[in-house]
Amino acid sequence: MRKILVYTSAAIISSLLIGCNLSFAEENPANIVASDVAKITAERANADKTAKRLFGKENPANVVGEKEMSQLMTKFIYGDIYTEVKTIDPAMRELLTIAVLTASNTTDDLEIYIKGALNAGATPSAIRETIYQCTPYIGFPRVKAALNKMQGAFKQAKVKLPLDVNGTVNDKTRFNNGLATQKEIFGAAIDNMYKNSSNDQQHININLSANCFGDYYTRQVLDLKEREMITFACVSTIGGADPQVKAHVNGNLLVGNTRQQLLDIITIALPYIGYPRTLNALAAINSVVPAK
């Protein structure tokens, strides 16, 4: 039994190292990352200020009665993580965080995060579109919960309601327009999907084109690059969707997003989804677009 446990532990450690592009043969990691650690350490001192700038007195990392955990969360999210994101502006960072919280159905503090997104420069319509974009990947109940929190946050922030309607399709156009958008992102793979599917599952393909891409991707406010970023955040968050994570690595690249942007997305998500799902998403990125 001990031999089996030792082997299993070694296999797990090896898989984590592969996912992180490390190996035992490399130089001492402490020497490799010394400058990065110094930079992060310096930024941690500003974590409370960063959180206050976004949320005022409502820091969502605060845990009542748990000062130690509150500081651990604040310094990690708004120190370690905040300084590592290179290509995504503050407004989009908060939109991606909203997508992650919506996808994971952890909406207790979502009102605070939504007000933080407004403070970071995100528009009310962009916040709503971010939550709408999550729908085909996580289902209606989680989106409904998030939209209820959004309405509460908007009322507190005195956002003028109702917001404009941003849909662009109707019952007659949603399939064709969705299919065109699907092909714009994934190209000939969509024709192959229809061609190679049995008749009894074509309704799933039709719904994917008409609903996922027709009802949501064709909406206004967010462009395809932003919607693919949000989608990647969603599918990386939910777990058990590794083929879809890899597919949307490709989707992001095909619409013009970069490896660094994908790395930034999972960096933003890390505090909320943990290391296993982050490493799974990292492995998907590395399998499609390896580091140069």
Side-chain angles (χ1 to χ4, degrees):
M1 177 64 73
R2 181 172 296 177
K3 289 182 179 179
I4 294 173
L5 290 176
V6 169
Y7 174 80
T8 303
S9 298
I12 291 171
I13 293 169
S14 177
S15 68
L16 290 177
L17 290 171
I18 291 170
C20 295
N21 283 337
L22 297 176
S23 74
F24 287 114
E26 288 185 282
E27 183 184 351
N28 183 346
N31 297 329
I32 296 171
V33 301
S35 62
D36 288 335
V37 170
K39 180 180 67 174
I40 292 171
T41 301
E43 195 64 30
R44 283 169 68 85
N46 298 319
D48 286 312
K49 292 180 181 179
T50 301
K52 188 174 182 179
R53 186 172 67 249
L54 285 169
F55 306 109
K57 297 180 180 180
E58 292 187 292
N59 183 356
N62 285 340
V63 184
V64 176
E66 290 291 343
K67 185 176 181 180
E68 185 177 10
M69 179 55 74
S70 298
Q71 274 298 291
L72 284 169
M73 292 170 64
T74 296
K75 286 188 175 183
F76 185 59
I77 297 171
Y78 301 106
D80 299 15
I81 295 299
Y82 216 79
T83 191
E84 284 302 312
V85 175
K86 299 176 175 64
T87 63
I88 297 176
D89 64 40
M92 193 64 193
R93 291 186 197 203
E94 298 310 309
L95 293 179
L96 289 165
T97 302
I98 289 169
V100 168
L101 294 173
T102 300
S104 62
N105 203 27
T106 48
T107 58
D108 286 351
D109 295 317
L110 191 55
E111 288 186 14
I112 301 174
Y113 281 100
I114 287 170
K115 286 183 281 186
L118 292 170
N119 291 336
T123 66
S125 291
I127 293 169
R128 184 178 68 173
E129 288 303 316
T130 295
I131 298 173
Y132 270 46
Q133 182 62 26
C134 296
T135 309
Y137 302 99
I138 63 172
F140 289 117
R142 294 184 184 190
V143 165
K144 180 180 178 181
L147 288 173
N148 286 337
K149 292 287 187 178
M150 182 196 75
Q151 292 292 332
F154 283 173
K155 288 177 182 178
Q156 290 180 42
K158 295 181 169 47
V159 172
K160 185 178 179 181
L161 299 172
L163 299 179
D164 293 337
V165 173
N166 294 317
T168 65
V169 298
N170 56 41
D171 290 349
K172 293 181 178 179
T173 62
R174 60 197 286 267
F175 173 76
N176 287 335
N177 289 6
L179 181 62
T181 302
Q182 205 175 6
K183 288 184 177 183
E184 184 177 349
I185 300 173
F186 296 105
I190 304 307
D191 289 327
N192 292 333
M193 177 187 74
Y194 276 99
K195 180 180 178 181
N196 296 326
S197 295
S198 60
N199 289 336
D200 62 354
Q201 69 181 60
Q202 287 292 10
H203 67 288
I204 302 294
N205 296 333
I206 291 168
N207 285 326
L208 186 62
S209 298
N211 177 241
C212 180
F213 289 89
D215 291 340
Y216 298 103
Y217 272 84
T218 61
R219 293 175 63 81
Q220 298 173 324
V221 180
L222 300 177
D223 60 26
L224 280 184
K225 294 175 72 172
E226 292 165 330
R227 290 186 182 276
E228 266 301 294
M229 291 170 70
I230 291 164
T231 296
F232 180 67
C234 282
V235 294
S236 298
T237 295
I238 58 179
D242 292 347
Q244 288 74 29
V245 174
K246 188 173 180 180
H248 284 285
V249 171
N250 275 303
N252 271 273
L253 296 173
L254 289 168
V255 298
N257 292 330
T258 65
R259 171 185 164 88
Q260 185 59 57
Q261 286 174 301
L262 293 170
L263 292 172
D264 283 348
I265 292 168
I266 62 172
T267 300
I268 290 166
L270 171 57
Y272 309 101
I273 68 175
Y275 286 96
R277 290 179 183 180
T278 302
L279 289 171
N280 286 345
L282 176 59
I285 294 169
N286 285 335
S287 71
V288 176
V289 53
K292 293 182 179 179

